Amino acid sequence: MAEVLRENQGSLVRVVVCVLMLVVVCRAQCFFQGLETKDPKTPTKGCVDKEGKQHVFGSSWVKDCYDCSCSMRGIRCCNRIPEVVDLSAECELVVDRKACSYRLVMKSDKTKDCNSSFSMVL
């Protein structure tokens, strides 16, 4: 009986770890803006972003380091720059927003790449 309880306990631990991993992945920096229809009699031809720009269905673009796309449901955008969730104290993430790129470097010498272990989500 004790062996069965230990096996079930191990299964429970695996489930909890999987749920925690899912929470970390869900921290990805994405957002969704639902499609707005002002006049139900006039079919919508695309999506309108927060700046008022029209995008046709099926199109995609990059805005402020976010990959965005327009579908019949709305606009979905995800950040190209990851969010670091676990990084050693001697490293830091350096972001170039103009190029939408990033590097993991040593805090003491930003010309050297950091080879420490880390976790990040996109």
Side-chain angles (χ1 to χ4, degrees):
M1 181 70 169
E3 188 174 319
V4 171
L5 287 174
R6 271 184 287 215
E7 284 180 28
N8 287 338
Q9 198 173 27
S11 296
L12 179 62
V13 169
R14 284 191 289 274
V15 168
V16 169
V17 168
C18 288
V19 168
L20 289 175
M21 288 172 52
L22 182 61
V23 168
V24 169
V25 171
C26 288
R27 290 183 62 191
Q29 300 168 331
C30 296
F31 66 87
F32 181 77
Q33 175 186 323
L35 191 64
E36 294 180 22
T37 53
K38 295 183 180 182
D39 183 7
K41 296 177 184 175
T42 307
T44 306
K45 296 178 182 170
C47 307
V48 179
D49 64 21
K50 293 177 182 176
E51 287 81 35
K53 185 175 179 185
Q54 180 85 29
H55 301 274
V56 296
F57 292 126
S59 65
S60 59
W61 64 97
V62 176
K63 174 76 174 160
D64 298 328
C65 297
Y66 280 83
D67 285 320
C68 299
S69 61
C70 171
S71 72
M72 299 285 278
R73 298 180 67 211
I75 297 175
R76 183 182 194 304
C77 297
C78 291
N79 200 342
R80 288 181 155 194
I81 308 297
E83 177 184 351
V84 177
V85 293
D86 183 21
L87 184 62
S88 65
E90 65 267 2
C91 301
E92 79 176 285
L93 186 71
V94 175
V95 176
D96 179 349
R97 286 262 170 217
K98 289 182 182 178
C100 295
S101 64
Y102 59 92
R103 282 185 56 217
L104 198 58
V105 297
M106 301 296 294
K107 283 183 180 178
S108 59
D109 184 354
K110 296 196 182 356
T111 63
K112 294 183 180 177
D113 288 336
C114 183
N115 296 320
S116 176
S117 64
F118 59 93
S119 299
M120 60 176 75
V121 290
L122 283 174

